[in-house]
Amino acid sequence: MRKDQLEKLNLIANKYSRRSFPEVIDLLLFCYDFLEEISDRYRLSGVSATTDFIEKYLPKSDFEIISSGVIKLLDDLGINGRDRAVLEQEMISILKNVKIDRKSALEVLKPLLVMKRR
């Protein structure tokens, strides 16, 4: 078993309060059985197709909506490289502050507005 796999198993054991390797395996098998049941029920072609199917129907958090919207906008505009990295991070931060943290847009954008007046 690879080191990263052992680390992941240890993380799962700690997160779900499992004390032994067999308990972690039982948890993973339960999850696999759940995915397989959905796969069979909806006639999907395996675990990957099943996880895609589940993702499609799960409601997205506000942060996921903001992030994917910003990424799509930057893709559509063809902005890449260093500019993209900076814009993506800052746009997500601004929208998160306004939508999730419920700060006023004026408060969030104040540093930019002050610079614009100069």
Side-chain angles (χ1 to χ4, degrees), residues 71 74-88:
I71 289 168
L74 295 174
D75 285 345
D76 291 348
L77 293 173
I79 298 174
N80 294 305
R82 193 175 307 183
D83 289 340
R84 182 190 179 105
V86 171
L87 284 171
E88 185 175 313

Side-chain angles (χ1 to χ4, degrees), residues 3-53:
K3 182 180 177 184
D4 62 321
Q5 291 172 324
L6 288 172
E7 288 172 356
K8 183 70 174 185
L9 288 173
N10 199 23
L11 182 80
I12 292 168
N14 291 332
K15 184 174 182 177
Y16 295 100
S17 301
R18 302 296 193 243
R19 292 187 205 119
S20 67
F21 184 73
E23 288 178 344
V24 174
I25 294 298
D26 286 343
L27 175 66
L28 295 175
L29 289 173
F30 173 80
C31 294
Y32 179 80
D33 290 343
F34 174 74
L35 287 175
E36 197 167 75
E37 184 179 320
I38 291 174
S39 179
D40 291 345
R41 186 183 309 164
Y42 292 99
R43 297 185 178 110
L44 302 169
S45 61
V47 173
S48 181
T50 305
T51 54
D52 292 344
F53 176 81

